[in-house]
Amino acid sequence: MTEGKLHYEDFTPERVFSLGPKTVTAEEIIEFAAEFDPQPMHLDEAAGKASILGGLAASGWHTASMHMRMIIDSFILNSTCQGAPGVEFMDWKKPVLAGDTLSGRAIVLDSRPLRSKPGIGLVRMRTEIDNQKGETVCLAEQIIMFRMRAQQESAA
Amino acid sequence: MTEGKLHYEDFTPERVFSLGPKTVTAEEIIEFAAEFDPQPMHLDEAAGKASILGGLAASGWHTASMHMRMIIDSFILNSTCQGAPGVEFMDWKKPVLAGDTLSGRAIVLDSRPLRSKPGIGLVRMRTEIDNQKGETVCLAEQIIMFRMRAQQESAA
């Protein structure tokens, strides 16, 4: 049953969803990096301090993945989400360091029906993630697919 | 010592680096999704089959992270990489399903010095990841920072 869930039609332009907070631990940074991005500045505090990142810093892809979890917990699990075709851009504007607390917002930019799959629509969103100092660490625009409430059946 | 490593100057336009192969297991898909993207189609085979993805499918962010590991193993660990400011775009063109074997290439597009940090340059690369059927599943363009071989000292 999807009746009470957020559908395509609910993602109206300028609607804002809060994201986080999520505190990032050194253990999480190292665990992710060991599997997906084993560069010294993501694995070791001293190497991080010696790098231009200035400390043990999360992989950008770890930040991206944490940002996804924040979106999930904010509204995706309570929606008719059908996945996503990609990311229009993602900027890692500041390092995410061990101990940082991340929070932010997802803002609906615009939306349109997906021509190839009747009953599904594309919602373009901007996500902004800040650290505890209010500095933006990650900025992205992406498209997410949702089922429509008034499903249009088609023989196409 | 970084003498034998790939520096900024080595990333000349059109140079190609091979990526993978990497076989994706159901366990890996579920483990990543449980932490970062717990949507039914990433956690359960039956839910994946019922979704528009057609099977137990990796989160796009999992594909992104595996793609990073392929880049790491291909050339980053043998380089003077200093991190990355972001991703210009990433398209998830086909689902990555349990059992798929991914491989691909990273192609240098262009490069330029980073004005704010002498001795570091930005290399723009295109990455293409295919499955075992030769279908492209993930396409991205991103900028990666590398130290220059002939380091320019500056008081700025």
Side-chain angles (χ1 to χ4, degrees):
Chain A
M1 303 307 287
T2 62
E3 214 171 297
K5 297 200 171 193
L6 292 163
H7 286 66
Y8 170 74
E9 293 83 354
D10 298 311
F11 293 89
T12 47
E14 300 184 38
R15 185 165 177 178
V16 178
F17 298 88
S18 290
L19 306 179
K22 154 73 184 162
T23 298
V24 189
T25 69
E27 292 68 28
E28 288 168 343
I29 289 174
I30 293 167
E31 188 187 348
F32 185 97
E35 185 166 0
F36 296 115
D37 194 352
Q39 298 186 70
M41 65 278 203
H42 303 318
L43 291 169
D44 180 77
E45 176 73 34
K49 283 220 166 88
S51 79
I52 62 174
L53 300 178
L56 179 67
S59 165
W61 300 105
H62 187 194
T63 299
S65 299
M66 290 188 287
H67 135 281
M68 183 66 210
R69 181 58 192 250
M70 286 191 267
I71 292 172
I72 285 282
D73 291 337
S74 174
F75 61 87
I76 292 283
L77 286 188
N78 184 38
S79 79
T80 59
C81 178
Q82 298 296 302
V87 186
E88 298 203 328
F89 74 83
M90 175 171 276
D91 291 344
W92 299 311
K93 299 186 80 70
K94 291 260 183 187
V96 172
L97 301 176
D100 278 358
T101 297
L102 306 181
S103 61
R105 61 214 70 81
I107 305 155
V108 177
L109 297 176
D110 48 51
S111 63
R112 62 184 171 85
L114 178 60
R115 278 175 178 259
S116 62
K117 291 195 201 294
I120 291 179
L122 303 171
V123 176
R124 204 160 63 89
M125 304 191 87
R126 177 181 175 89
T127 43
E128 303 170 348
I129 308 291
D130 306 330
N131 63 19
Q132 68 282 359
K133 297 180 211 163
E135 298 166 332
T136 299
V137 296
C138 182
L139 199 61
E141 289 184 13
Q142 59 201 303
I143 290 170
I144 305 178
M145 298 183 285
F146 296 92
R147 281 198 193 282
M148 294 178 179
R149 181 163 278 118
Q151 200 134 344
Q152 295 157 358
E153 297 300 332
S154 161
Chain B
M1 304 305 289
T2 62
E3 214 170 300
K5 296 201 169 192
L6 292 163
H7 286 65
Y8 170 74
E9 293 83 353
D10 299 310
F11 293 89
T12 47
E14 299 184 39
R15 184 164 179 179
V16 178
F17 298 87
S18 289
L19 307 179
K22 155 73 184 162
T23 298
V24 189
T25 69
E27 292 68 28
E28 289 168 342
I29 289 174
I30 293 167
E31 188 186 349
F32 185 97
E35 185 165 0
F36 296 114
D37 193 353
Q39 298 186 73
M41 65 278 202
H42 303 318
L43 290 169
D44 180 76
E45 176 73 34
K49 282 220 165 88
S51 79
I52 63 174
L53 301 177
L56 179 68
S59 165
W61 300 105
H62 187 193
T63 299
S65 299
M66 290 188 287
H67 136 280
M68 183 67 210
R69 181 58 192 252
M70 288 192 265
I71 293 173
I72 285 281
D73 291 337
S74 174
F75 62 87
I76 292 283
L77 286 187
N78 183 37
S79 79
T80 59
C81 178
Q82 298 295 302
V87 186
E88 298 204 329
F89 73 84
M90 175 171 277
D91 291 344
W92 299 309
K93 298 187 81 70
K94 291 259 183 187
V96 172
L97 301 176
D100 278 358
T101 297
L102 306 181
S103 61
R105 61 214 73 79
I107 306 154
V108 177
L109 298 177
D110 48 50
S111 63
R112 61 183 171 85
L114 178 59
R115 278 174 178 261
S116 62
K117 291 193 201 294
I120 291 179
L122 303 171
V123 176
R124 204 159 63 91
M125 304 191 88
R126 177 181 175 88
T127 44
E128 303 170 349
I129 308 291
D130 305 329
N131 64 19
Q132 67 282 359
K133 297 181 209 162
E135 299 166 331
T136 299
V137 295
C138 182
L139 199 62
E141 289 183 13
Q142 59 200 302
I143 289 170
I144 305 178
M145 298 183 285
F146 297 93
R147 281 197 193 282
M148 295 179 178
R149 182 163 278 118
Q151 200 136 342
Q152 294 157 358
E153 297 301 334
S154 161

